[in-house]
């Protein structure tokens, strides 16, 4: 039915970087290596690759084998030889309203100086530096400075707390931690340094901690371990001349932790070469990036969205980036719309949660502002409900901005299923696979399910942006993503989806024990282990239930230890305990005290039973239920 489509305007089609999908897609999947090697040629290499794809050791694929590159050379250095040297790279606005701007020239100066500081602290190629910062320019400098000298970064989202941070520092065995005295969020100061101090107590490897002064509030600094960023940057050692390290294509660029089905978060590992090619291509094709654009990805650099589409891809494409520190509704719900007007933002990329949250305040807030500079919009993180899609399209996009609903994951590095600006859109669908990618929706045996039916989403072909492994646990990488469809050699995404008669993909949600809250990814196992770490708790289960704004919210069930009595006060205490251990995003909506939990005979908690009961639904097949 054609009426369900939203067609792009002639204007959009005429100006698009990519004007055609079907033929180009066909060619790209017939010869993905040809497609990707053409794209790789748009970057600067110190030495050209010998082989585009090495699939001799599946599922550990390698891309642009033998090539020498550094992503920072492409994100910064090569622009300095052109007129872009004096182009704005970053416009940054703090929550209190302070503004700082950096041209590519200035960005290079800051990154080079900090790279020299890191070197003076003994940071070496291959080591992993943990970064735990608010959304300030120094976060970006820190990531780029690590990459420039060949060190890898592990950015931990500033909303995470002691336990989450300590676990990540320990897993990466970081010797150096970069942080700040705090950041601003809804007018309050987040105590990042206090959390680092606690986390470092639990992490024996940390020798150096560099602290950016952001808020000026007093923090504890340990002698001989903690240093102020601004003091180091003022020393002669912080020279603005720094050579960009020559890296192998397949050298580690960063690890980024994400939640999985079981156990502790896993550090997905990404590399210099393939990741640079994949992120810059997807960004340029999908968001139609042009030199005159002002690009705003309103995510946090602590997540993969920020890594790929605040930092690396936009810089490689020579874009002007807006970065904002704080909350969307501070001090008023027009904060974002005000910034779009103030800076003339042309592309906004955000999450369904943020859209739903802002929609709630009513049309009068955006309507007070001039949003005519916008020409494209984007959405990521979870399925977008058609109501929010239509509001975003009408009220923010003034019915002229196509919405790029991009489906991807920490593991994929960049967009996998996504429209292009020229694609006829259906609200709520990510439409079709990006060039080079073949996807399918299959049953447990790997047979494609009939049109319109639900099944498991798989990716049938490797792509340059794919994670190479889980840091320190290659076996787990194989097990989690590749084992189920090993015979076919497919990547299992962990999402369920359906494909309609027009070939459009509709993501339904996670099929594993991963919960998406406000687009953030959390594992039921992490929440449960935080609960069980409280002395009152003997057993716990966490499930997700639908939530109007957040998409999902966390509901928990707890069995108390003998002699402990349930009550409102304990419920509050447990909710706060989870928030303190993992971070405020993991705070449960409620805690229900129970005497037993539904389990299989082998002792696994049957979360789907809890979920069905909570929703008043039939729990389905209960034959494996023990009690
Ligand atoms: C999971 C990955 C990739 C950036 C942020 C999330 C869900 C992501 C969409 C979308 C429906 C989406 C999936 C996926 N997801 N984008 N456009 N439509 N669902 O990265 O934290 O690794 O989470 O987010 O469930 O598996 P992530």
């Amino acid at each position: 039915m054609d009426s369900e489509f939203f067609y792009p305007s002639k204007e959009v089609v005429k100006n698009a970087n990519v004007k055609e999908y079907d033929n180009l897609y066909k060619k790209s999947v017939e010869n993905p290596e040809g497609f990707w090697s053409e794209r790789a040629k748009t970057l600067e290499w110190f030495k050209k690759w010998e082989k585009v794809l090495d699939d001799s050791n599946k599922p550990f694929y390698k891309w642009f084998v033998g090539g020498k590159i550094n992503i920072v050379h492409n994100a910064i250095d090569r622009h300095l030889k052109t007129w872009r040297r004096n182009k704005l790279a970053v416009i940054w606005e703090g929550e209190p309203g302070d503004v700082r701007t950096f041209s590519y020239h200035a960005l290079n100066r800051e990154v080079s100086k900090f790279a020299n500081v890191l070197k003076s602290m003994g940071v070496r190629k291959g080591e992993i530096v943990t970064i735990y910062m608010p959304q300030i320019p120094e976060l970006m400098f820190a990531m780029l400075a690590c990459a420039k000298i060949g060190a890898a970064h592990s950015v931990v989202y500033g909303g995470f707390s002691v336990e989450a941070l300590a676990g990540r520092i320990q897993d990466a065995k970081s010797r150096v931690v970069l942080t700040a005295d705090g950041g601003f969020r809804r007018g309050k100061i987040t105590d990042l340094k206090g959390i680092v101090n606690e986390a470092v107590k639990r992490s024996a490897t940390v020798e150096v901690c560099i602290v950016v002064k952001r808020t000026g509030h007093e923090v504890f600094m340990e002698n001989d371990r903690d240093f102020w960023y601004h003091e180091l940057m003022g020393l002669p050692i912080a020279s603005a001349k720094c050579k960009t390290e020559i890296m192998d294509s397949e050298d580690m660029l960063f690890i980024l932790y994400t939640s999985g089905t079981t156990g502790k978060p896993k550090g997905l590992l990404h590399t210099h070469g393939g990741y640079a090619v994949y992120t810059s291509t997807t960004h340029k094709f999908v968001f139609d990036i042009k030199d005159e654009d002002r690009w705003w990805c309103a995510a946090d650099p602590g997540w993969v969205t920020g890594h790929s589409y605040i930092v690396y891809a936009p810089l490689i494409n020579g874009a002007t980036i807006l970065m904002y520190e704080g909350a969307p509704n501070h001090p008023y719900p027009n904060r974002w719309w005000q910034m779009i007007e103030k800076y003339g933002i042309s592309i906004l990329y955000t999450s369904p949660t943020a859209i739903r949250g802002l929609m709630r305040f009513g049309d009068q807030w955006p309507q007070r502002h001039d949003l005519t500079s916008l020409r494209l919009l984007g959405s990521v993180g979870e399925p977008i409900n058609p109501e929010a899609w239509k509001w975003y399209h009408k009220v923010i996009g003034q019915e002229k901005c196509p919405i790029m609903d991009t489906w991807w994951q920490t593991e994929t590095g960049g967009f996998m299923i996504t429209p292009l600006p020229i694609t006829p859109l259906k609200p709520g669908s990510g439409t079709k696979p990006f060039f080079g990618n073949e996807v399918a929706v299959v049953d447990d045996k790997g047979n494609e399910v009939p049109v319109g039916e639900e099944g498991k989403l798989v990716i049938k072909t490797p792509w340059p942006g794919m994670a190479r492994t889980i840091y320190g646990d290659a076996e787990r990488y194989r097990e989690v993503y590749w084992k189920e469809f090993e015979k076919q050699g497919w990547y299992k995404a962990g999402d369920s989806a359906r494909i309609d008669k027009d070939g459009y993909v509709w993501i339904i949600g996670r099929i594993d024990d991963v919960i998406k809250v406000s687009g953030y990814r959390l594992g039921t196992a992490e929440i449960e282990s935080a609960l069980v770490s409280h002395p009152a708790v003997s057993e716990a289960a966490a499930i997700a239930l639908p939530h109007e704004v957040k998409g999902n919210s966390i509901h928990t069930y707890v069995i108390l230890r003998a002699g402990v009595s349930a009550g409102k006060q304990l419920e509050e205490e447990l909710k706060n305990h989870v928030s303190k251990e993992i971070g405020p995003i993991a705070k449960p909506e409620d805690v229900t005290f129970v005497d037993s939990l539904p389990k299989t005979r082998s002792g696994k908690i049957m979360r789907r039973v809890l979920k069905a009961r909570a929703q008043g639904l039939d729990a389905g097949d209960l034959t494996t239920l023990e009690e």
Side-chain angles (χ1 to χ4, degrees):
M1 225 173 31
D2 276 2
S3 61
E4 54 188 325
F5 286 109
F6 281 70
Y7 290 96
S9 68
K10 284 204 185 76
E11 173 104 2
V12 167
V13 177
K14 193 178 90 206
N15 296 324
N17 282 343
V18 182
K19 295 190 169 47
E20 200 260 345
Y21 176 79
D22 292 342
N23 271 319
L24 192 52
Y25 176 74
K26 195 163 162 280
K27 273 201 247 161
S28 75
V29 293
E30 277 164 11
N31 180 11
E33 292 178 45
F35 177 83
W36 288 115
S37 78
E38 280 312 303
R39 293 308 308 160
K41 285 180 195 157
T42 66
L43 300 184
E44 277 187 17
W45 297 74
F46 300 122
K47 178 175 166 275
K48 202 184 158 190
W49 57 93
E50 283 142 26
K51 203 171 184 331
V52 178
L53 172 64
D54 174 358
D55 59 1
S56 59
N57 182 26
K58 291 172 187 170
F60 303 98
Y61 296 91
K62 290 180 180 164
W63 286 86
F64 307 109
V65 182
K68 300 283 179 195
I69 193 172
N70 187 310
I71 200 167
V72 175
H73 177 83
N74 284 281
I76 302 178
D77 306 8
R78 66 170 176 155
H79 300 313
L80 305 178
K81 296 178 277 184
T82 72
W83 66 272
R84 287 203 189 94
R85 182 175 198 109
N86 295 319
K87 180 180 174 175
L88 274 187
V90 185
I91 304 169
W92 174 84
E93 189 169 307
E95 196 185 74
D98 42 340
V99 177
R100 294 161 73 193
T101 58
F102 301 87
S103 63
Y104 276 87
H105 170 84
L107 178 64
N108 179 55
R109 183 190 62 226
E110 298 300 322
V111 170
S112 297
K113 282 168 67 79
F114 193 49
N116 279 321
V117 167
L118 291 177
K119 275 190 185 173
S120 77
M121 293 290 178
V123 175
R124 293 282 172 267
K125 197 167 170 170
E127 85 175 71
I128 304 170
V129 174
T130 294
I131 304 177
Y132 181 67
M133 281 201 198
Q135 261 211 69
I136 53 177
E138 287 78 5
L139 168 52
M140 193 188 253
F141 304 158
M143 292 166 72
L144 293 161
C146 288
K148 186 177 173 76
I149 61 174
H153 52 72
S154 162
V155 179
V156 178
Y157 170 57
F160 276 136
S161 204
V162 180
E163 189 56 39
L165 175 61
R168 286 156 174 78
I169 294 174
Q170 288 158 14
D171 189 67
K173 300 184 192 62
S174 284
R175 209 175 49 79
V176 177
V177 175
L178 311 176
T179 188
D181 62 351
F184 293 102
R185 190 80 192 175
R186 289 204 176 80
K188 287 201 203 100
I189 289 173
T190 53
D191 183 26
L192 298 177
K193 183 63 168 68
I195 291 169
V196 168
N197 289 342
E198 284 302 307
V200 167
K201 273 188 208 155
R202 306 186 195 177
S203 321
T205 53
V206 178
E207 290 168 15
V208 173
C209 179
I210 301 177
V211 188
V212 177
K213 190 168 254 175
R214 164 67 185 132
T215 64
H217 90 295
E218 204 169 319
V219 293
F220 172 77
M221 298 283 282
E222 174 89 36
N223 259 341
D224 299 331
R225 183 196 72 192
D226 298 350
F227 303 87
W228 287 108
Y229 179 91
H230 63 275
E231 287 178 3
L232 297 172
M233 290 289 271
L235 299 174
I237 189 77
S239 151
K241 272 173 78 175
C242 178
K243 186 177 156 285
T244 300
E245 197 66 33
I246 295 176
M247 305 296 285
D248 195 274
S249 260
E250 284 290 307
D251 276 341
M252 169 166 64
L253 170 63
F254 65 82
I255 56 172
L256 185 58
Y257 288 89
T258 191
S259 301
T261 305
T262 52
K264 53 184 183 122
K266 42 197 183 202
L268 275 313
L269 188 152
H270 287 279
T271 58
H272 274 257
Y275 177 81
V277 175
Y278 197 77
T279 55
S280 60
T281 299
T282 47
H283 184 238
K284 186 166 192 126
F285 285 16
V286 174
F287 281 106
D288 205 37
I289 287 293
K290 313 260 171 46
D291 257 314
E292 53 275 28
D293 274 317
R294 286 204 162 171
W295 160 255
W296 184 13
C297 167
D300 190 291
W303 303 96
V304 74
T305 313
H307 280 57
S308 299
Y309 299 107
I310 296 178
V311 182
Y312 290 112
L315 291 176
I316 295 172
N317 288 328
T320 296
I321 299 156
L322 174 68
M323 193 172 157
Y324 167 59
E325 178 186 30
N329 55 349
H330 189 85
Y332 301 108
N334 65 335
R335 182 63 189 261
W336 275 20
W337 320 127
Q338 201 176 37
M339 284 193 295
I340 289 171
E341 174 182 287
K342 181 171 171 191
Y343 299 112
I345 298 302
S346 52
I347 312 170
L348 172 67
Y349 183 39
T350 183
S351 66
T353 291
I355 297 161
R356 289 191 293 260
L358 290 164
M359 185 169 100
R360 246 182 355 164
F361 295 111
D363 298 4
Q364 69 276 19
W365 292 99
Q367 271 164 2
R368 272 205 257 148
H369 294 275
D370 177 7
L371 304 179
T372 51
S373 58
L374 288 172
R375 68 178 184 87
L376 268 181
L377 299 171
S379 172
V380 63
E382 52 181 322
I384 180 165
N385 48 312
E387 193 198 352
W389 193 99
K390 286 178 184 153
W391 183 82
Y392 195 31
H393 188 256
K394 178 157 177 256
V395 180
I396 307 307
Q398 307 134 88
E399 294 181 326
K400 72 175 173 74
C401 305
I403 299 174
M404 302 297 101
D405 181 354
T406 59
W407 177 87
W408 59 296
Q409 308 175 300
T410 308
E411 292 85 347
T412 71
F415 312 148
M416 297 304 289
I417 298 170
T418 173
L420 298 172
I422 57 161
T423 308
L425 303 170
K426 298 188 192 187
S429 168
T431 77
K432 296 195 174 182
F434 190 72
F435 301 116
N437 299 334
E438 289 181 77
V439 308
V441 172
V442 302
D443 62 20
D444 292 341
K445 293 200 187 76
N447 300 314
E448 285 193 28
V449 302
V451 167
E453 280 182 27
E454 186 173 345
K456 293 178 175 175
L457 179 65
V458 296
I459 302 163
K460 293 175 154 183
T461 42
W463 63 102
M466 67 202 304
R468 298 301 190 261
T469 188
I470 292 174
Y471 179 72
D473 202 347
E475 205 34 56
R476 190 168 171 207
Y477 176 73
R478 184 203 294 276
E479 171 83 34
V480 175
Y481 305 106
W482 302 91
K483 186 105 187 261
E484 185 166 353
F485 299 109
E486 197 165 27
K487 217 172 58 217
Q488 299 90 337
W490 299 340
Y491 169 88
K492 181 181 75 174
D495 279 9
S496 70
R498 56 192 177 84
I499 298 182
D500 71 15
K501 61 180 187 340
D502 298 309
Y504 278 43
V505 182
W506 298 77
I507 304 293
I508 297 162
R510 300 290 309 191
I511 25 183
D512 50 12
D513 294 318
V514 168
I515 304 184
K516 278 261 156 175
V517 184
S518 301
Y520 297 131
R521 182 165 157 180
L522 294 161
T524 51
E526 288 165 90
I527 300 159
E528 290 160 4
S529 92
L531 281 168
V532 176
S533 76
H534 188 282
V537 178
S538 129
E539 275 190 78
I543 60 163
L545 292 179
H547 185 278
E548 214 178 303
V549 176
K550 299 186 208 171
N552 291 294
S553 58
I554 301 165
H555 298 260
T556 59
Y557 299 83
V558 157
I559 303 176
L560 294 173
R561 281 184 193 280
V564 181
S565 45
K568 203 70 211 158
Q569 204 187 334
L570 184 59
E571 177 178 353
E572 275 316 301
E573 192 179 317
L574 292 177
K575 279 162 50 176
N576 291 331
H577 178 72
V578 175
S579 170
K580 184 170 170 282
E581 286 292 304
I582 307 175
I585 48 166
K587 188 171 178 173
E589 205 75 3
D590 51 40
V591 179
T592 308
F593 299 103
V594 293
D595 296 326
S596 69
L597 289 167
K599 283 186 191 159
T600 60
R601 278 178 209 105
S602 58
K604 269 181 79 180
I605 296 170
M606 294 179 84
R607 295 188 188 81
R608 74 178 166 84
V609 174
L610 288 169
K611 195 166 166 163
R613 275 190 203 147
Q615 292 177 293
L617 301 170
D618 177 14
D621 180 7
L622 292 181
T623 47
T624 56
L625 187 68
E626 150 111 323
E627 43 186 293

